[in-house]
Amino acid sequence: MMNGAQYVESLKKLKPTIFYRGKRLDDPYGHRALAPHVRTAAATYDLAVGGQHDEIMTATSNLDGAKISRFTHLFWSVDDLIRKIAMLRLIGRETGTCFQRCVGLDAINALWSVTYDVDKAKGTEYHPRFRKFLARLQREDLMSAGAMTDPKGDRSLAPWQQADPDLYVHIVDRRPDGIVIRGAKTHITGAANSHEIFVMPTLGLPPEGADYAVACAVPIDAPGLTLVFGRQSNDERKEEDGTIDCGTEWGVVGGESTLIFEDVFVPTERVFMDGEGEFAGALVDRFSAWHRANYGGCKGGNADVLLGATALLAEIHGTIKNSIVRDKLTEIVHLVETNFAGAIGSSALGKRLPAGNWLVDPLLANTVKQNVTRFVYQVGRLTHDIAGGLLSTLPSDADFQSSEVGGLLEKYFAGKQGFSTEDKRKLCRYIEGMTSVSTLVEALHGAGSPQAQRIVMLRQADLPEKTRQAKKVIGLGKGK
């Protein structure tokens, strides 16, 4: 397995086409916009090789028995599912932000299970092909990103009905040695600093949409693939590296990118679905269930740091002993642990798939994510309430360093004795960044919109069975 420094060095060997704010980046991994996200991903590698967290950061490969990163591991039991959630909370706590690797982990499990199902039903050879690719991913300890979301265009129309057929990624040519794909994927977490991209369909597809039923692996620097790194709230702060205004050394949320595939050739050995649209829905559902359960872990770890920062700021303000403030902190604890409990519960009730790996309980997994879409906003509101208006009006670091007004600012922004003004400012900037528009919107729409979860929840709730049970208990239909 690689450590963090080796991971960064491995990225420098790649030659991806990445644009940011209208310019192609000659040295993307040294650019200040990407650097915090690279550092965060590197932390996941360091946590896996240090030996301190082996039980949750590493696993034994089912392919060759080697010790591997859990981020390249398949879920072979309920225990694996629970350890995954524990791992996500640990890393969320260590970095205080999104560490970008969950999507790739869930993608390999979805592809493992669905390629098995397709082969069994149709006599294809996707599963051994994917097994071989996964063995390389594990052996080389590569970081992968999952690319599922298409731009979608007119959402009232199916992919093949769009005025521009490229608004969903699709196959434009089939050759003896592979396929050619065209289109775009957007909101893709960690793509810019991954080694491999797993392209997956975004919805179930009927026969007329077969060209859109494509799953494959594309190297980050494949010819024809262009990434456009997205903007975030306060992203210009990254340009102020080394200042308090920049925030922590870690990135805010996941450094999402738009991926543009302009007739990208994918060799046969990297193709895991080619037109089997009847299986695309199962891939989406399984991937989404695993991914939505994650939020009870990673957001729990992030909230641990946010809660600690908010409590420290309250101490500096001198309000930490106030019963109202303590009640608000208690409410944050309640919201966070409710989500975590849901993630653990969905893992504990997991079931084995035909391919051998285990799927979380879909109803609880979607409930976790539905809660996140609300709870993260509530937690943000509570932190804003406790921290005060300083979050939105704090003067810049340059003002505090000014020879003319810096001393006055130090004087008037002082808090409780024993804490420096610098500490106070650092806490404010962290809370500001982790409750900004980018972090809240990511929590709302990441792993699917709130309505997507509600659709699955109602489907999984099995209302007909519940109505039968109600009739039985209440005694309906028996007459007098």
Side-chain angles (χ1 to χ4, degrees):
M1 297 187 295
M2 290 191 284
N3 61 30
Q6 290 168 330
Y7 158 71
V8 174
E9 287 303 310
S10 73
L11 293 179
K12 293 178 179 178
K13 297 175 183 177
L14 306 174
K15 302 295 181 185
T17 301
I18 301 178
F19 281 80
Y20 176 62
R21 299 182 68 181
K23 296 180 181 179
R24 179 173 178 174
L25 303 182
D26 295 327
D27 178 21
Y29 304 117
H31 194 279
R32 287 180 173 179
L34 273 70
H37 306 286
V38 173
R39 283 194 291 268
T40 307
T44 68
Y45 281 88
D46 282 333
L47 286 167
V49 299
Q52 186 177 357
H53 305 291
D54 273 5
E55 287 190 4
I56 59 173
M57 291 298 305
T58 67
T60 300
S61 171
N62 67 298
L63 303 183
D64 62 9
K67 181 180 179 180
I68 59 171
S69 165
R70 193 169 291 276
F71 279 113
T72 63
H73 184 53
L74 297 169
F75 311 129
W76 284 109
S77 63
V78 163
D79 186 63
D80 273 340
L81 293 172
I82 292 174
R83 286 174 191 263
K84 172 201 180 184
I85 299 300
M87 173 180 73
L88 303 186
R89 186 156 190 179
L90 167 69
I91 306 172
R93 184 182 291 147
E94 290 291 321
T95 64
T97 188
C98 173
F99 37 89
Q100 313 150 58
R101 298 192 65 187
C102 306
V103 192
L105 172 57
D106 298 328
I108 65 172
N109 276 274
L111 289 167
W112 175 272
S113 66
V114 172
T115 54
Y116 179 90
D117 293 346
V118 177
D119 284 2
K120 186 174 181 180
K122 310 196 79 167
T124 49
E125 298 182 352
Y126 295 127
H127 191 67
R129 190 183 296 171
F130 181 72
R131 182 187 181 100
K132 184 176 180 180
F133 185 87
L134 178 59
R136 172 178 168 259
L137 203 76
Q138 293 181 349
R139 183 174 63 253
E140 298 182 18
D141 202 11
L142 302 179
M143 176 170 165
S144 59
M148 181 170 278
T149 304
D150 298 88
K152 297 187 175 74
D154 182 347
R155 301 184 184 205
S156 68
L157 300 176
W160 59 94
Q161 296 172 333
Q162 300 287 327
D164 184 345
D166 299 341
L167 291 172
Y168 289 76
V169 170
H170 60 122
I171 300 169
V172 295
D173 191 17
R174 290 177 172 87
R175 302 175 184 174
D177 55 347
I179 61 173
V180 178
I181 62 174
R182 185 187 303 158
K185 296 287 186 179
T186 193
H187 318 308
I188 309 305
T189 298
N193 49 289
S194 289
H195 303 96
E196 296 280 351
I197 308 295
F198 285 118
V199 176
M200 298 174 286
T202 194
L203 73 173
L205 295 157
E208 55 267 40
D211 286 344
Y212 293 87
V214 55
C216 57
V218 178
I220 189 67
D221 53 359
L225 174 58
T226 299
L227 287 79
V228 183
F229 194 71
R231 294 210 67 172
Q232 300 174 342
S233 304
N234 296 336
D235 59 3
E236 290 184 352
R237 300 277 183 89
K238 298 175 186 176
E239 301 294 329
E240 303 174 36
D241 194 17
T243 72
I244 288 177
D245 288 350
C246 184
T248 69
E249 62 178 310
W250 317 109
V252 173
V253 297
E256 285 72 20
S257 298
T258 295
L259 281 56
I260 302 170
F261 300 86
E262 298 178 284
D263 293 350
V264 174
F265 174 70
V266 185
T268 300
E269 62 268 21
R270 288 173 163 267
V271 178
F272 313 122
M273 180 182 287
D274 177 2
E276 295 81 12
E278 65 269 36
F279 293 92
L283 191 154
V284 174
D285 285 347
R286 292 174 191 176
F287 168 83
S288 299
W290 280 310
H291 200 52
R292 288 168 184 167
N294 292 353
Y295 279 68
C298 62
K299 296 301 180 189
N302 293 169
D304 289 336
V305 182
L306 186 59
L307 175 61
T310 305
L312 279 170
L313 192 55
E315 187 169 353
I316 291 173
H317 287 335
T319 60
I320 189 64
K321 294 182 179 180
N322 183 287
S323 61
I324 297 174
V325 170
R326 296 184 71 81
D327 186 63
K328 294 180 191 297
L329 293 173
T330 303
E331 180 62 12
I332 294 175
V333 173
H334 165 71
L335 294 170
V336 173
E337 299 306 332
T338 297
N339 264 337
F340 183 67
I344 294 295
S346 69
S347 301
L349 296 181
K351 293 183 178 178
R352 188 179 185 273
L353 296 169
N357 54 339
W358 285 64
L359 179 67
V360 292
D361 180 84
L363 177 55
L364 288 183
N366 280 272
T367 303
V368 169
K369 183 57 179 59
Q370 182 76 182
N371 283 338
V372 166
T373 66
R374 306 173 185 185
F375 290 0
V376 168
Y377 283 82
Q378 293 178 41
V379 169
R381 180 185 178 278
L382 290 165
T383 60
H384 293 175
D385 189 356
I386 295 170
L390 195 60
L391 296 181
S392 64
T393 64
L394 182 65
S396 72
D397 191 58
D399 289 316
F400 276 89
Q401 303 303 324
S402 166
S403 60
E404 297 177 89
V405 297
L408 293 171
L409 290 175
E410 286 284 338
K411 171 184 172 70
Y412 289 111
F413 279 95
K416 182 179 179 179
Q417 285 192 343
F419 293 91
S420 67
T421 306
E422 181 176 301
D423 288 343
K424 182 178 180 179
R425 291 195 288 135
K426 285 181 177 178
L427 290 167
C428 285
R429 291 306 186 205
Y430 175 77
I431 296 170
E432 176 190 4
M434 287 306 296
T435 57
S436 68
V437 173
S438 292
T439 52
L440 296 178
V441 171
E442 186 276 332
L444 186 70
H445 285 287
S449 67
Q451 195 58 34
Q453 291 118 49
R454 298 181 74 81
I455 291 169
V456 177
M457 288 162 64
L458 185 60
R459 188 171 72 221
Q460 291 289 329
D462 194 357
L463 287 185
E465 170 57 28
K466 288 180 170 58
T467 57
R468 284 192 295 270
Q469 188 65 24
K471 290 177 181 179
K472 175 185 174 182
V473 172
I474 298 168
L476 301 184
K478 290 183 177 181
K480 294 185 179 179

